[in-house]
Amino acid sequence: MRFHILGTGAIGCHVASVLRPRHPITLLLRSNAAVKTFKEQNNNSVTYARTNQQPIKVEGFDAEPVGPSLQSPIEALFVSTKSQHAVEAVRSVQPRLSRSSTLVLLQNGMGLAEELLDKLWPVKEAAPSIIIGVNRHAIERVAPFSVVHHSGWDDQEGGLMLGAMPHSVPENATKVLDAVAQFEEFNSKIFPWEELRRRMMRKLVVNASINPVAALLGVRNGALHDNPGADALLHAVCQEAHALLPELDTTADELFDMVRKTVVIAANNTCSTLQDLQANRLTEVDYINGYLLKLARDRNIAAPVNEYLTNMIHAKERVLGAK
């Protein structure tokens, strides 16, 4: 099976480097110039390293530009762009997608899959199968097509939790899920849709707690450990999330304990929100804390801490001129 990968940041390069030894991989890049640069400067390779280990070069990738010049069908597409860019990125290859295709979405936060269906495939019976991935791997992009893997490969809850949306064609989704499950490096676990949604919510709480606080402080995750001021913010986010997500059937303290454990496990990682700000990129905050704010409005529940953190991240983006 050939996999196409749309979005070659930290997550996309990690997925590409794992799949490549057994599958042909096509990276979908922004332009012909980007394809040329990848060939000439990177020799069609991705550099991968685990923390404190020597990097290895994974070679033999194909690369194509997105856009109307290519029309060959795409069977399996990993979408690892930032949430706020994903709809337009998928739109750029939509003519190559059909009911026979399968998309794997690997974004932080929640709400993107529903947005994709609403904007690109309002008739679900014509939509590709969609698999959602809850990614607990902590990956850092250190240079173009070069990543460092900090944690996730031995996470007991699973490094990559996957499930297919109800509208998906079972045999198509299963083919992709089975292919991913063959790789121990992914530490993948497959769940029915409703259970995966609960796990998405738990990951949302982790991201909504750690990402904005670490990003605003400008620190790696580990700096939030044994930090009373940071603890107060993390706990406040968990209290609001507990009120907004009764489906989790847990307590605010249990959510806070989950967040604190993640801070320790992924201590060396620079969260994606901070990576975005450091690169003057817009963040995914509207799909993380912003998603909780949407729930708060819909359910008439106050969420002042999430509102404050969302506004602060947007203010930081504006100051930096993020795009």
Side-chain angles (χ1 to χ4, degrees):
M1 177 185 296
R2 176 173 290 275
F3 289 96
H4 287 72
I5 297 182
L6 185 60
T8 53
I11 302 304
C13 283
H14 173 235
V15 170
S17 66
V18 174
L19 291 173
R20 177 62 196 98
R22 300 186 201 172
H23 294 276
I25 305 295
T26 299
L27 306 183
L28 296 171
L29 306 182
R30 293 182 180 181
S31 62
N32 284 313
V35 172
K36 182 179 178 182
T37 298
F38 178 61
K39 180 178 181 180
E40 294 178 351
Q41 296 185 11
N42 298 90
N43 297 315
N44 285 34
S45 67
V46 170
T47 302
Y48 167 86
R50 283 191 181 179
T51 302
N52 300 322
Q53 293 187 8
Q54 289 297 311
I56 59 171
K57 276 198 170 185
V58 184
E59 300 177 326
F61 293 98
D62 298 313
E64 298 172 350
V66 296
S69 60
L70 293 172
Q71 297 295 323
S72 56
I74 292 176
E75 179 181 8
L77 176 68
F78 276 85
V79 183
S80 49
T81 63
K82 294 295 181 181
S83 299
Q84 65 271 22
H85 302 310
V87 172
E88 291 310 310
V90 174
R91 193 191 304 275
S92 72
V93 296
Q94 187 178 9
R96 303 176 66 183
L97 301 170
S98 69
R99 185 64 174 155
S100 299
S101 305
T102 300
L103 276 61
V104 184
L105 305 183
L106 296 177
Q107 285 68 29
N108 286 323
M110 294 182 66
L112 173 62
E114 293 79 4
E115 184 180 356
L116 274 172
L117 289 172
D118 288 344
K119 291 183 175 179
L120 302 186
W121 291 283
V123 179
K124 287 186 180 179
E125 290 76 15
S129 299
I130 296 180
I131 295 167
I132 306 292
V134 180
N135 183 45
R136 290 172 58 87
H137 291 277
I139 314 290
E140 183 175 0
R141 179 183 183 268
V142 294
F145 304 103
S146 180
V147 296
V148 175
H149 192 178
H150 293 291
S151 64
W153 57 84
D154 58 355
D155 191 318
Q156 292 185 355
E157 287 195 34
L160 181 60
M161 294 171 276
L162 300 161
M165 293 185 74
H167 77 277
S168 300
V169 178
E171 55 267 34
N172 294 345
T174 298
K175 185 177 180 181
V176 173
L177 289 168
D178 287 348
V180 172
Q182 293 175 7
F183 294 87
E184 291 185 8
E185 169 75 20
F186 281 135
N187 185 20
S188 62
K189 294 188 178 182
I190 299 168
F191 296 97
W193 175 243
E194 289 305 321
E195 176 58 24
L196 186 81
R197 272 191 59 81
R198 282 189 286 271
R199 290 172 182 266
M200 289 170 68
M201 291 176 190
R202 290 171 65 85
K203 175 73 184 316
L204 178 72
V205 175
V206 169
N207 287 140
S209 303
I210 294 173
N211 285 33
V213 177
L216 291 170
L217 293 175
V219 297
R220 291 180 182 269
N221 295 349
L224 306 185
H225 179 60
D226 197 22
N227 182 329
D231 268 355
L233 286 168
L234 300 179
H235 192 261
V237 173
C238 291
Q239 286 179 312
E240 292 183 3
H242 171 252
L244 293 167
L245 300 170
E247 301 93 329
L248 287 177
D249 191 25
T250 187
T251 68
D253 285 342
E254 287 171 339
L255 293 175
F256 180 49
D257 184 57
M258 173 184 70
V259 169
R260 294 181 77 184
K261 287 179 179 176
T262 304
V263 165
V264 173
I265 291 169
N268 291 325
N269 189 47
T270 299
C271 73
S272 60
T273 304
L274 180 54
Q275 290 186 54
D276 287 338
L277 293 176
Q278 288 174 334
N280 286 358
R281 294 190 299 258
L282 294 172
T283 71
E284 297 173 296
V285 69
D286 286 336
Y287 292 85
I288 304 174
N289 302 82
Y291 183 84
L292 291 175
L293 283 182
K294 181 179 182 300
L295 289 181
R297 289 191 294 269
D298 292 345
R299 299 177 182 186
N300 197 27
I301 298 173
V305 177
N306 278 283
E307 185 173 12
Y308 168 77
L309 292 172
T310 302
N311 287 335
M312 284 294 292
I313 292 295
H314 282 318
K316 187 74 170 179
E317 291 171 340
R318 182 66 178 267
V319 168
L320 295 172
K323 297 178 180 179

